[in-house]
Amino acid sequence: MRTYLIRRILLMIPVVLGVTVVVFLIIHLAPGDPVLLLVGERAPQEVYDRVKHAWGLDRPLLTQYLTFLGNILRGNFGMSIQMRRPVAELLARAIPVTLELGFSAMALAVVMGVVAGVISAVRSGSVADQATMVGALLGVSVPGFWLGQLLIVLFAIKLQWVPVSGYGGIRFLILPALAMGFADAAVTARTTRSTMLDVIKQDFVRTARAKGLSERVVIYKHALRNAMLPVVTLIGLDLGYLLGGTVVMEEVFSRPGMGRLMIQAILSRDYPVVQGCLLILAVSVALCNLLADIAYVFLDPRIRLQ
Amino acid sequence: MSKRKTRHLVLAAVVVAALLVLTLSAGCANKQAAGPGSEKPRKGGNLTIGVDRETDTFDLYQMTWSAGQAYVYDTLVTRDWNYKYAPGLAESWESSPDGKTWTFHLKKGVKWHDGTPFTSQDVKKHFEVMLDPKTAAANVLDYTWIKSMETPDDQTIVFKLASPFPNLLFKLCQSYGAIQSPAAYAKYGPNGTKEYGTKIAVGTGPMKLKEWIPGDRIVLERNPEYNWGAPWLSNRGPFYLNTLTYRVIPDSATRVAELETGNVQVLLDVPVEHYDRVSKMPNVQVIKQPAFGLGYLAFGTANKPFNDPRVREAINLAIDREALAKSVFFNLVQPAYGYLPPGLAESYEDKNAMRYDVEAAKKLLAQAGYPKGFKTTLATQNRTEHVRAAQAIQQMLEAIGVKADIVQYDEAGYKSFLKSGKQQLFMRQYSWDNADILQWFLESRQAPYPGHSLWKDKKTDELIAAAEGATTPELRTQKYIELEKYLIEQAVWAPLWYPMSIQAVRTDLVGGYRPYPGGGDVFNDVWLKKDIK
């Protein structure tokens, strides 16, 4: 187990390194010049040159990359060109905002999805089942930003239960988490339903019923536990999707998180910020994959690590 | 249900009545600026303005996008409600007959936010730092007219010029032309802790920079010491508001929704597509007025076939500006027939030269050697209205055989593209309230950037030099009008529309807000009718 872990962690290094190279090249080769945006239209050429030099952007790309890499290894993410603050400071502020939304959306998606999936599986064919599946279809099809605006109109403007946008507490989280979690809940519901339907038909469920256990215990203790495996896999895979979803939701609900930071940075060719954000993302995705692999071992003892 | 309806009716009636009172009182042109009714200003509270993007920095040397600087910093000269030059930090000023010496007399008792007294040495030092190449100030070119400065006493600053410069007062009114504390800049600037402009800003203005959460909000708080406001303000003392918050809300629909719920009380820039929704909201006053600016179709005049004035003129004649204003902007802009917005003294229009005349356009193209038209590209930034305008123009140009492929760029990509000098047709919009914008974009030495039109022309340069070096503002105006006539004759641009400023204010929450020319904002006189959570 230990050697496996060490090997996996060592393997992460080339992956992350590869990501930095790709990211660095893409953002630097994209048309657009951060210095032009920084100094504005009214700056003379001398000012432009001086600023470009000050940021080291007049040096060869390879030198710039190696400097960036060297700084990262020393834990220095550099300074934002456009926002004139240390990238680490910007990230430290933005990451919690994004995690808060990502995790609450995920929690909402799991609860809504699993409950809806179980209900429609147990009452397969009933009106409740059909209604849930229509809802799930809607959830998958409706674009998040549009759903977000609908929720704003209903809950923030008409009913005035929650604020329209911003962040700072659970009141601000409800709408974006709903808008983001809805699509995910829909997918979870459909998966839960189909695996539940499979599991319910299996012998051990019949045995449980034959033992005289109550229907509730049969469904929740025996069937659901076994049906959860693919759902857990799905949730793991969804992490990346959720981070992508926050990009849209942070824009609609004006939350100053990683997604917003990244978009702003990409639009203004703020290289250090884009690099910092993507590095964090790459590392966290790699870590999540590792955690998922480890989790399998605990969930299913039949899986062995070599 | 019916109760609610009646309430709406009553509200509507109240709003109509309030608007009537407002228009009537505005018609009387009285000096009392307290807004509708005779309510007394109330102290306290936080007012929130919804903006689509935040400023880049409060460091005046590096700033390129202003939002809030006007309240943190004071300028030597201000502009009053009629856009006339008026005292600011300078109580009065005079210039020598040759126009090369300008003396400004500063107000007494003015203090920096850190409590130290504001003196003429500060002004001198401020501009010295700005002009120092090491500072790499973004707006340095606006102040290169300063040859030297003298400070005979603490309250007097003398600017010595190499040659007369009639536009000097304008430059001293700019938000980036305000005065920031040289002492604070030395301590916290690039040679100090590097916090100046993002965490620390020291000015003499009625508000102090309290907090800036990047991407979220900028909070300014009242400077209780303030009592040196410009004479045209009703409230020359500290703000009535405790705090003024600029909240960044990038999504326009969300911004409008925040206004509707009252969490945001003022929008300084209502998007055209939401105009109807906002104007139907109860308790919201929509202020629509001409902005200083111009949307235009520009040519890479050094590139074929746009180096031929006949081609440029043909394209000018092929565009139906009225239709464009109506279909793309729902008439929330004015069709443009000149190079400068109508609010400026230098504005000059020629409706005949830019009439809609497809036949004449075709003839000109034939004369230029393109009887069947030609293929070209039409570049634009990916701003919704610009893309839609480009699509409308694409159709109009097809009528004269010009087939233009639309190419879209984001802001950064567009700037680099224009700097490359490969542009053919491209959409542009400027927001500026001075005729020197023509110098900025069309003087030969400005090509290719920011002179994206690639216009290199001796006569243009001569006329600009004559205007900018004129001894009197009147002569400057005259020279600029001469220049515009020449530019129209050469069809250097195809002017399209004059933008409008659309602001929205919650009248049930905000008192004392008064429209400022060109869509600017003045919150010194503004107060909140009740506290907002």
Side-chain angles (χ1 to χ4, degrees):
Chain A
M1 181 78 178
R2 184 184 289 167
T3 40
Y4 171 79
L5 269 184
I6 292 171
R7 219 188 51 186
R8 281 295 304 264
I9 289 170
L10 285 178
L11 259 173
M12 270 173 65
I13 295 171
V15 170
V16 170
L17 209 65
V19 170
T20 63
V21 174
V22 172
V23 165
F24 190 88
L25 279 180
I26 288 178
I27 185 74
H28 279 266
L29 294 181
D33 180 348
V35 181
L36 269 188
L37 286 169
L38 186 64
V39 299
E41 282 206 328
R42 301 190 70 77
Q45 187 65 33
E46 305 83 69
V47 167
Y48 173 87
D49 293 339
R50 198 175 269 273
V51 171
K52 189 160 191 159
H53 180 74
W55 284 101
L57 293 167
D58 52 350
R59 291 186 292 168
L61 216 53
L62 185 67
T63 323
Q64 289 188 47
Y65 176 72
L66 291 177
T67 317
F68 159 69
L69 211 58
N71 285 338
I72 288 293
L73 288 178
R74 271 174 275 143
N76 178 6
F77 281 80
M79 284 284 282
S80 155
I81 301 178
Q82 295 295 330
M83 288 172 259
R84 300 155 216 256
R85 291 168 175 81
V87 176
E89 180 192 321
L90 293 168
L91 285 172
R93 223 189 257 278
I95 289 172
V97 178
T98 296
L99 287 184
E100 185 185 78
L101 175 57
F103 282 123
S104 35
M106 189 183 251
L108 212 66
V110 170
V111 172
M112 290 198 317
V114 169
V115 170
V118 169
I119 289 174
S120 58
V122 173
R123 307 208 178 141
S124 157
S126 70
V127 181
D129 175 30
Q130 278 165 14
T132 313
M133 283 308 109
V134 169
L137 187 66
L138 269 176
V140 180
S141 330
V142 169
F145 66 92
W146 188 71
L147 182 64
Q149 288 297 344
L150 280 190
L151 292 176
I152 287 179
V153 170
L154 181 61
F155 292 107
I157 297 179
K158 296 275 183 252
L159 299 170
Q160 310 222 340
W161 289 350
V162 284
V164 175
S165 67
Y167 83 109
I170 193 131
R171 291 171 60 239
F172 292 91
L173 257 180
I174 297 172
L175 290 191
L178 264 177
M180 214 171 108
F182 196 51
D184 221 28
V187 179
T188 313
R190 293 174 73 95
T191 316
T192 310
R193 178 177 183 270
S194 61
T195 50
M196 268 302 267
L197 282 176
D198 280 349
V199 172
I200 286 173
K201 286 179 197 133
Q202 284 184 21
D203 292 347
F204 73 89
V205 173
R206 202 167 19 154
T207 312
R209 284 212 179 98
K211 278 198 297 186
L213 293 176
S214 73
E215 189 63 15
R216 175 173 295 181
V217 176
V218 171
I219 295 297
Y220 287 99
K221 198 163 175 196
H222 293 257
L224 183 59
R225 267 202 170 178
N226 284 282
M228 278 314 279
L229 262 172
V231 177
V232 169
T233 315
L234 187 76
I235 292 167
L237 286 175
D238 268 356
L239 256 175
Y241 161 81
L242 278 171
L243 285 171
T246 55
V247 172
V248 176
M249 288 308 151
E250 284 171 2
E251 200 76 4
V252 172
F253 292 95
S254 63
R255 297 171 59 84
M258 279 258 283
R260 274 274 303 289
L261 183 66
M262 211 150 59
I263 288 197
Q264 236 182 312
I266 291 171
L267 288 180
S268 58
R269 308 293 188 269
D270 197 337
Y271 303 147
V273 177
V274 179
Q275 286 156 197
C277 284
L278 286 169
L279 192 68
I280 295 281
L281 277 182
V283 171
S284 48
V285 168
L287 272 178
C288 283
N289 279 336
L290 180 61
L291 284 179
D293 285 355
I294 295 170
Y296 285 148
V297 182
F298 289 103
L299 282 175
D300 191 342
R302 283 171 300 181
I303 300 172
R304 290 264 181 276
L305 303 173
Q306 319 111 326
Chain B
M1 273 300 238
S2 66
K3 221 176 195 178
R4 184 164 268 185
K5 251 187 191 163
T6 19
R7 197 191 277 164
H8 276 171
L9 268 178
V10 172
L11 267 179
V14 170
V15 171
V16 168
L19 282 176
L20 263 175
V21 171
L22 194 75
T23 23
L24 285 178
S25 61
C28 299
N30 56 354
K31 275 174 196 146
Q32 292 287 302
S38 54
E39 289 168 281
K40 263 197 180 160
R42 189 177 150 273
K43 269 198 169 185
N46 168 61
L47 185 134
T48 306
I49 306 168
V51 292
D52 64 334
R53 66 188 267 197
E54 62 194 346
T55 180
D56 40 5
T57 170
F58 275 77
D59 174 1
L60 296 179
Y61 300 141
Q62 307 302 339
M63 169 197 128
T64 63
W65 183 263
S66 68
Q69 280 84 354
Y71 305 111
V72 172
Y73 299 106
D74 283 325
T75 48
L76 292 177
V77 183
T78 61
R79 301 186 95 163
D80 65 13
W81 297 111
N82 300 315
Y83 230 45
K84 295 232 161 57
Y85 294 117
L89 284 174
E91 220 160 30
S92 63
W93 56 84
E94 68 259 348
S95 67
S96 63
D98 67 356
K100 289 189 191 172
T101 305
W102 287 71
T103 309
F104 288 81
H105 304 283
L106 306 178
K107 274 180 198 154
K108 275 186 192 154
V110 176
K111 277 187 194 143
W112 292 107
H113 290 162
D114 59 13
T116 53
F118 164 81
T119 66
S120 57
Q121 283 86 350
D122 292 330
V123 179
K124 181 167 182 257
K125 183 78 187 149
H126 167 74
F127 283 112
E128 278 170 1
V129 175
M130 180 191 272
L131 292 168
D132 183 348
K134 273 189 251 141
T135 309
N139 302 298
V140 64
L141 283 188
D142 285 15
Y143 300 93
T144 42
W145 46 268
I146 302 177
K147 200 179 97 192
S148 64
M149 286 167 285
E150 284 165 18
T151 51
D153 61 59
D154 275 1
Q155 254 64 55
T156 312
I157 172 97
V158 182
F159 292 104
K160 298 273 189 190
L161 284 61
S163 55
F165 185 57
N167 208 21
L168 176 147
L169 292 179
F170 173 79
K171 301 291 184 187
L172 292 178
C173 286
Q174 297 312 301
S175 50
Y176 54 78
I179 316 293
Q180 71 188 13
S181 161
Y185 186 77
K187 200 165 158 194
Y188 305 108
N191 299 322
T193 60
K194 299 190 187 356
E195 290 171 305
Y196 197 88
T198 51
K199 296 196 175 96
I200 290 163
V202 178
T204 61
M207 292 301 242
K208 298 176 179 180
L209 178 61
K210 185 184 178 201
E211 185 187 22
W212 181 350
I213 304 172
D216 183 43
R217 65 187 63 216
I218 292 173
V219 184
L220 308 180
E221 73 179 331
R222 170 168 51 202
N223 172 8
E225 306 270 315
Y226 195 76
N227 67 0
W228 46 86
W232 47 272
L233 293 165
S234 305
N235 170 28
R236 300 180 65 179
F239 262 45
Y240 296 125
L241 305 167
N242 281 344
T243 51
L244 180 66
T245 301
Y246 288 83
R247 242 195 85 190
V248 188
I249 308 170
D251 187 279
S252 59
T254 308
R255 214 153 60 238
V256 169
E258 285 286 23
L259 178 78
E260 192 163 0
T261 57
N263 289 323
V264 158
Q265 298 90 47
V266 176
L267 293 183
L268 294 176
D269 193 0
V270 177
V272 169
E273 67 265 31
H274 294 297
Y275 176 78
D276 268 349
R277 181 174 162 199
V278 174
S279 47
K280 278 181 195 133
M281 285 180 193
N283 297 323
V284 169
Q285 185 196 0
V286 177
I287 303 166
K288 196 172 78 175
Q289 53 178 339
F292 294 108
L294 174 76
Y296 58 99
L297 178 67
F299 312 102
T301 60
N303 301 334
K304 261 192 164 183
F306 302 102
N307 53 352
D308 188 331
R310 287 170 299 191
V311 173
R312 302 195 297 260
E313 197 185 336
I315 286 173
N316 257 292
L317 293 172
I319 296 171
D320 184 349
R321 291 163 171 81
E322 308 276 341
L324 191 72
K326 200 173 163 195
S327 66
V328 176
F329 296 97
F330 317 110
N331 281 331
L332 293 169
V333 298
Q334 269 178 277
Y337 298 93
Y339 286 55
L340 294 172
L344 301 182
E346 292 85 3
S347 169
Y348 173 82
E349 288 205 318
D350 187 341
K351 287 199 174 167
N352 186 47
M354 290 171 227
R355 70 190 187 278
Y356 179 47
D357 191 340
V358 174
E359 287 316 308
K362 279 183 181 165
K363 253 185 226 164
L364 275 166
L365 270 193
Q367 281 171 23
Y370 302 97
K372 286 184 186 155
F374 52 85
K375 272 192 154 184
T376 184
T377 55
L378 169 51
T380 177
Q381 199 180 315
N382 56 0
R383 289 167 62 171
T384 320
E385 327 87 72
H386 286 201
V387 173
R388 291 182 49 198
Q391 286 162 345
I393 288 164
Q394 184 185 37
Q395 281 188 13
M396 290 174 189
L397 293 185
E398 244 183 69
I400 60 165
V402 174
K403 289 192 178 55
D405 287 329
I406 295 177
V407 192
Q408 294 185 39
Y409 296 87
D410 70 349
E411 191 186 355
Y414 200 41
K415 289 190 172 187
S416 295
F417 165 69
L418 293 179
K419 199 171 182 176
S420 77
K422 289 182 194 138
Q423 52 269 42
Q424 298 255 301
L425 289 168
F426 60 104
M427 306 287 303
R428 284 285 301 180
Q429 179 168 341
Y430 72 70
S431 300
W432 194 246
D433 53 349
N434 197 284
D436 70 354
I437 193 77
L438 297 177
Q439 173 185 30
W440 194 251
F441 285 131
L442 295 173
E443 208 175 19
S444 300
R445 64 185 165 113
Q446 301 286 55
Y449 191 91
H452 340 91
S453 303
L454 314 173
W455 183 245
K456 291 186 181 180
D457 182 78
K458 217 176 138 208
K459 187 167 176 191
T460 304
D461 291 352
E462 283 166 10
L463 284 168
I464 289 171
E468 288 298 316
T471 39
T472 64
E474 292 74 25
L475 188 62
R476 178 175 183 267
T477 303
Q478 196 189 318
K479 286 291 168 195
Y480 264 120
I481 289 179
E482 218 175 296
L483 170 68
E484 284 160 80
K485 285 181 181 166
Y486 175 67
L487 294 175
I488 291 173
E489 187 191 302
Q490 291 289 319
V492 178
W493 290 344
L496 300 174
W497 71 84
Y498 302 122
M500 283 217 207
S501 148
I502 309 171
Q503 304 181 332
V505 180
R506 282 289 294 250
T507 45
D508 56 335
L509 304 170
V510 178
Y513 189 79
R514 221 179 129 176
Y516 186 75
D521 53 89
V522 175
F523 286 100
N524 301 59
D525 299 340
V526 169
W527 46 280
L528 281 175
K529 296 186 178 172
K530 56 182 175 207
D531 276 340
I532 296 144
K533 286 178 284 177

